[in-house]
Amino acid sequence: SQTIHQWPATLVQPVGSPLSLECTVEGTSNPNLYWYRQAAGRGLQLLFYSVGIGQISSEVPQNLSASRPQDWQFILSSKKLLLSDSGFYLCAWSTTVAEAFFGQGTRLTVV
Amino acid sequence: KQEVTQIPAALSVPEGENLVLNCSFTDSAIYNLQWFRQDPGKGLTSLLLIQSSQREQTSGRLNASLDKSSGRSTLYIAASQPGDSATYLCAVRKGGGSEKLVFGKGTKLTVNP
């Protein structure tokens, strides 16, 4: 069966520090991978998605970047965090047009 | 641009009640629609997936319907229980096999014992 892992669960980082969140998927090959951010009252915002290794699409201009070094690995990064980067970050996977499955999320607080 | 709206934003009901959550979308050219549940501080759990050619899907006490032409979906929960308390989100995938899911803001459900 397929599983998705996301870590860490919580993270407190100072403004200006770097960020690296990792998401891995097991039990499937060539999945579509997604990073979403959930802010209070604003719903889920799609940040990045990837249809294959090295293929990243960005949905909104921001202080973040994403990379997919392996088929099963999706990384969300920032060189310098802003207060506005605080939020709940969710990784998800799906096959091309089927059901989407989410990780347990990372609560990021930038202080 | 696809927009997804969920009404009501919050709902409080007594245990045992049957209830309906609503989801509407502006562009009827969807490929599928998915209902999720989210517990506080947790990720999303997939509940039901309805393909555009389907009218409804059922899983246990949950039944989701889809009226693509009118841009609506409903999630029916029978005999609600306190354990059903959570935020319920719907998401649509654009027709043509788009990789993107567009989410509503969710309905926060509280089932009181």
Side-chain angles (χ1 to χ4, degrees), chain A residues 51-64:
Chain A
V51 299
I53 295 174
Q55 300 179 62
I56 309 294
S57 296
S58 175
E59 286 297 294
V60 293
Q62 58 204 323
N63 187 43
L64 302 169

Side-chain angles (χ1 to χ4, degrees), chain A residues 81-101:
Chain A
L81 284 168
L82 306 172
L83 287 174
S84 59
D85 292 323
S86 293
F88 192 50
Y89 289 82
L90 289 156
C91 180
W93 77 271
S94 74
T95 56
T96 304
V97 290
E99 198 169 0
F101 298 94

Side-chain angles (χ1 to χ4, degrees), chain B residues 29-106:
Chain B
I30 66 168
Y31 193 86
N32 58 37
L33 183 146
Q34 194 168 354
W35 281 94
F36 295 88
R37 167 188 174 137
Q38 185 177 29
D39 294 293
K42 302 295 184 181
L44 277 63
T45 300
S46 179
L47 298 174
L48 290 164
L49 174 72
I50 310 178
Q51 301 294 348
S52 62
S53 58
Q54 297 176 320
R55 296 285 293 182
E56 65 179 298
Q57 282 286 346
T58 298
S59 176
R61 295 183 293 108
L62 305 179
N63 176 276
S65 67
L66 174 64
D67 184 344
K68 198 174 73 164
S69 62
S70 67
R72 294 181 180 180
S73 176
T74 61
L75 180 67
Y76 175 83
I77 303 177
S80 59
Q81 303 171 358
D84 295 329
S85 298
T87 296
Y88 291 80
L89 298 110
C90 72
V92 298
R93 191 188 298 272
K94 187 179 177 181
S98 169
E99 296 83 6
K100 304 178 193 178
L101 282 172
V102 179
F103 280 84
K105 292 185 178 181

Side-chain angles (χ1 to χ4, degrees), chain A residues 12-41:
Chain A
V12 180
Q13 292 284 99
V15 169
S17 64
L19 173 73
S20 180
L21 302 181
E22 187 163 349
C23 173
T24 60
V25 179
E26 298 175 359
T28 186
S29 60
N30 198 31
N32 291 338
L33 296 174
Y34 308 83
W35 278 111
Y36 285 86
R37 178 168 58 201
Q38 189 175 36

